[in-house]
Amino acid sequence: MFKNLFSSILLVFTLSTTLPGQVATSSFVSPEWTQPYEPFRIAGDVYYVGSYDLACYLITTSAGNILINTGLADSPKMLRTNIEKLGFRYDDIKILLNTQAHFDHVAGMAEIKRDTKATVMVHEADVQVMSDGGNSDFLFGGSSSFEAVTVDRVLHDGDTISLGKTKLIALHHPGHTKGATSFMLDTRDETRTWRVLIVNIPSILPQTRISGMPSYPNVGQEYALTLEKLKTLNFDVWVASHASQFNLHDKRKPGAAYNPSAFNDRPGYEASINSIKREYDKRMKRETK
């Protein structure tokens, strides 16, 4: 069930040599990150508009739309196509959010902000990384891996993001990045209200030392707190930053009818968290010998 859980995220970011002011290009881009995937309605006003594996979410409201994650630097064209296939206007994006400040989730944000004049909102712990294009990332810093983005609103744990009658709650789940954030909202379809969790699964990258790092001394404590927080969340539907993390392609086949219940899967959610907890314990034991 979880054979692909870490396939797209446990990777080594090797950045090419760059001159000052240039944006480095990662030497690793999974084919599944750029492979097209049909957009579809998840539940109520929440839609999947990302690629085969890089998950991006459109939330539609009466006052414009919210986009969570923007994929790679060349993803905006795909996102525009997917949004318009669903019958919505790309120019109606009013708010840009992200689940984590790594290039595979935010490299398209600067372009989309220019195109739509949307307001960028980022958790306070990832603001600097977004503002310098990844140069200050605790693992992969030293050169920029995506175009820098000006943050318009700094988010904190528990903050509410409102647009029209829609309200999202920002949930700080650090570890994978310092400001990694999940989002919870209630959305209604023709028959009922669904509580949707767009979660940043806190995968542990190979370069991270859980016992502590000079650039992130409390990373282990933050991972542990995130794993505990995730266990307490209640929802009707859950999705994640990568399609492989919530087994999208097992739960939905192209052309399938609208079916929010396919993404309920509490057992799959708990198994995912438990798998990361086992990895956390194994790494901590190895590092503290």
Side-chain angles (χ1 to χ4, degrees), residues 91-111:
D91 292 344
D92 284 342
I93 298 171
K94 304 300 183 186
I95 295 174
L96 289 167
L97 303 171
N98 69 298
T99 56
Q100 52 173 277
H102 282 155
F103 83 98
D104 50 326
H105 301 284
V106 300
M109 191 166 286
E111 179 176 337

Side-chain angles (χ1 to χ4, degrees), residues 9 69 98-106 126 130 176-177 179-181 200-201 203 241-242 245:
I9 45 184
N69 292 340
N98 69 298
T99 56
Q100 52 173 277
H102 282 155
F103 83 98
D104 50 326
H105 301 284
V106 300
D126 270 349
M130 292 294 292
H176 190 75
T177 68
T181 304
N200 190 74
I201 297 293
S203 55
S241 302
H242 287 265
Q245 290 179 313

Side-chain angles (χ1 to χ4, degrees), residues 47-206:
Y47 298 82
Y48 187 95
V49 294
S51 69
Y52 190 87
D53 187 59
L54 289 183
C56 304
Y57 301 98
L58 186 74
I59 301 168
T60 61
T61 86
S62 59
N65 303 327
I66 300 167
L67 182 64
I68 301 178
N69 292 340
T70 61
L72 302 166
D74 58 358
S75 294
K77 182 178 179 180
M78 175 205 69
L79 289 168
R80 179 191 284 269
T81 298
N82 285 348
I83 289 167
E84 292 176 351
K85 278 183 181 178
L86 292 168
F88 303 112
R89 284 168 39 86
Y90 177 79
D91 292 344
D92 284 342
I93 298 171
K94 304 300 183 186
I95 295 174
L96 289 167
L97 303 171
N98 69 298
T99 56
Q100 52 173 277
H102 282 155
F103 83 98
D104 50 326
H105 301 284
V106 300
M109 191 166 286
E111 179 176 337
I112 296 176
K113 180 176 182 177
R114 282 193 298 273
D115 289 344
T116 65
K117 307 300 188 291
T119 299
V120 172
M121 304 182 185
V122 173
H123 187 274
E124 60 179 332
D126 270 349
V127 168
Q128 183 58 47
V129 177
M130 292 294 292
S131 299
D132 60 29
N135 189 53
S136 61
D137 185 273
F138 78 93
L139 278 182
F140 309 117
S143 62
S144 295
S145 55
F146 56 88
E147 186 178 352
V149 183
T150 299
V151 175
D152 303 301
R153 178 183 169 189
V154 177
L155 297 175
H156 309 88
D157 187 37
D159 277 358
T160 298
I161 299 143
S162 299
L163 189 63
K165 295 181 179 179
T166 299
K167 298 181 185 298
L168 285 72
I169 305 299
L171 304 171
H172 185 213
H173 291 150
H176 190 75
T177 68
K178 292 181 180 181
T181 304
S182 305
F183 300 93
M184 186 89 77
L185 73 149
D186 291 333
T187 184
R188 184 165 182 80
D189 63 12
E190 295 76 11
T191 60
R192 58 163 287 183
T193 296
W194 301 88
R195 174 153 288 189
V196 176
L197 172 64
I198 300 171
V199 63
N200 190 74
I201 297 293
S203 55
I204 306 171
L205 292 169

Side-chain angles (χ1 to χ4, degrees), residues 29-50:
V29 175
S30 166
E32 294 183 343
W33 292 0
T34 58
Q35 181 179 338
Y37 187 76
E38 69 171 5
F40 67 95
R41 187 186 187 194
I42 297 169
D45 297 320
V46 181
Y47 298 82
Y48 187 95
V49 294

